[in-house]
Amino acid sequence: MKPEICIMALAAALLLGCSKTEVRDSIEIVSVSETSFSSEGGFGSIATSTGGIAVEAVSSAPQWLIVSTVRENVLFTILPNESPEERKGTISIKAGEIRGASVEISQQAYSGLRLSCSNVDFTEDIRQAEVKVKCSCEYSIAFSENPDGCFNCVKTSEGLVLSSSKGPGRHAVTGRLYVTPEDPLIPSAAVTLRLREKSVYDYMVGTWTATASDEGQIQKFTFSRKKDQYSFNVEIDHSKTAGLPFTADWVDGKVRILSGQECGYNPEQNKYLSLHYNGTKNGSGWYILQTAGLVAWDAEPVFDENAGSIELTFGDSGINSEYSPKLLTFWLCPGRYFNFGGSGAGQVISYSKLTLTKELTE
């Protein structure tokens, strides 16, 4: 064999040997960002050296120790520990056929007090609420403020069930409840309870008595919700207006009765009930004010808590500076609304003054 051929063969062999990747017989753990975590949890990573082989990782506790891999690195997430016990998990790492490795991760037990909310509001519709409590030890509860025993609290396995013993009233009520752990190192937490005041609109619903009117007999006016917090259906206790309510609007804290209302059809008399006003124009004359919304009477509720009553005294709302409504009138007309000249048309009831009173109830 020629000497130059031997030299070339030897050089090729050396080059091949240098190009080989270093082969390991086991995974080397280069670094671990952290192995011990607080109860709040967190994130970590493990850097390995495998000679270029991508790693795989398995968690012994995947419900709280979650792992993933990127080439020769392992990433892991620790979820919060809400149990009163410390917990440990193992991350097992393998890469191809070489010997694997493992890293143990520990997490502290939960220690502290946590409430699902610290403010509870009660309304007419919401009379009970639940506050979930997470505490690493036993705890006690006590009201520091509870006016007239308005609020109640019951402990459950999940936390607290809070309730209001009464519905909303004229004034808001505020209470405060403290949750105090037995462990003196854990601070107490407070829950603020509020019973909202009843809206003035809601007080208008019910039956009113006309205590001041120019009708010979006392009339009853029953208010019911039409569009909640905006308007009412109002029915007068009168044989000819039964089942034919007019509308009263709730505007800027006042009850307003607009002109030109079509109240409904009375099948027994085959007539239409309407509401209009009679009044003056620029202080003189006498006019039928039947245009819808042209004029109105309104009344602001007056509460007398000593007497236990509410009063509405109606008068010109002032929405029209030209016309002044003096007489609130209900008519039954044949064939159509406001057919005052039709055969059989007639006034049902009218008021030149109107004051309504109602019992103040919570």
Side-chain angles (χ1 to χ4, degrees), residues 115 118-122 127-129 131 139-155 159-166 173-180 188-195:
L115 308 180
S118 58
N119 293 281
V120 176
D121 287 334
F122 296 101
R127 303 290 289 276
Q128 183 171 294
V131 175
Y139 62 89
S140 61
I141 56 173
F143 282 102
S144 62
E145 301 172 45
N146 191 9
D148 299 323
C150 178
F151 305 107
N152 302 303
C153 181
V154 177
K155 287 178 67 175
L160 309 174
V161 174
L162 303 168
S163 60
S164 172
S165 59
K166 62 180 183 180
V173 180
T174 300
R176 183 156 296 165
L177 175 76
Y178 278 92
V179 179
T180 304
S188 299
V191 180
T192 300
L193 303 92
R194 298 185 185 90
L195 176 62

Side-chain angles (χ1 to χ4, degrees), residues 38-41 78-87 107-111 114 134:
S38 70
S39 62
E40 283 78 15
I78 310 295
L79 299 182
N81 185 6
E82 297 188 347
S83 75
E85 303 293 335
E86 181 186 19
R87 59 189 181 185
Q107 186 178 24
Q108 296 174 0
Y110 173 75
S111 178
R114 186 166 65 245
K134 187 65 182 179

Side-chain angles (χ1 to χ4, degrees), residues 7-157:
I7 293 170
M8 291 177 63
L10 179 60
L14 288 172
L15 286 171
L16 287 171
C18 292
S19 65
K20 283 186 178 180
T21 303
E22 182 183 357
V23 177
R24 293 182 176 277
D25 61 356
S26 64
I27 296 174
E28 178 187 352
I29 302 296
V30 177
S31 65
V32 182
S33 61
E34 190 174 357
T35 60
S36 181
F37 290 81
S38 70
S39 62
E40 283 78 15
F43 304 92
S45 64
I46 304 169
T48 73
S49 177
T50 64
I53 304 173
V55 299
E56 298 177 10
V58 176
S59 168
S60 66
Q63 67 274 18
W64 63 269
L65 174 55
I66 303 167
V67 297
S68 61
T69 60
V70 179
R71 297 188 179 89
E72 296 179 61
N73 300 303
V74 179
L75 308 177
F76 58 92
T77 301
I78 310 295
L79 299 182
N81 185 6
E82 297 188 347
S83 75
E85 303 293 335
E86 181 186 19
R87 59 189 181 185
K88 295 182 179 181
T90 300
I91 299 174
S92 299
I93 309 168
K94 65 179 183 177
E97 300 300 322
I98 66 176
R99 189 167 62 251
S102 64
V103 175
E104 186 176 83
I105 304 296
S106 64
Q107 186 178 24
Q108 296 174 0
Y110 173 75
S111 178
L113 170 65
R114 186 166 65 245
L115 308 180
S116 61
C117 67
S118 58
N119 293 281
V120 176
D121 287 334
F122 296 101
T123 64
E124 185 70 41
D125 300 321
I126 302 173
R127 303 290 289 276
Q128 183 171 294
E130 181 180 7
V131 175
K132 292 187 177 180
V133 178
K134 187 65 182 179
C135 190
S136 56
C137 62
E138 292 296 320
Y139 62 89
S140 61
I141 56 173
F143 282 102
S144 62
E145 301 172 45
N146 191 9
D148 299 323
C150 178
F151 305 107
N152 302 303
C153 181
V154 177
K155 287 178 67 175
T156 69
S157 59

Side-chain angles (χ1 to χ4, degrees), residues 124 190 203 225 296 303:
E124 185 70 41
Y203 279 104
R225 288 176 173 82
F303 289 81

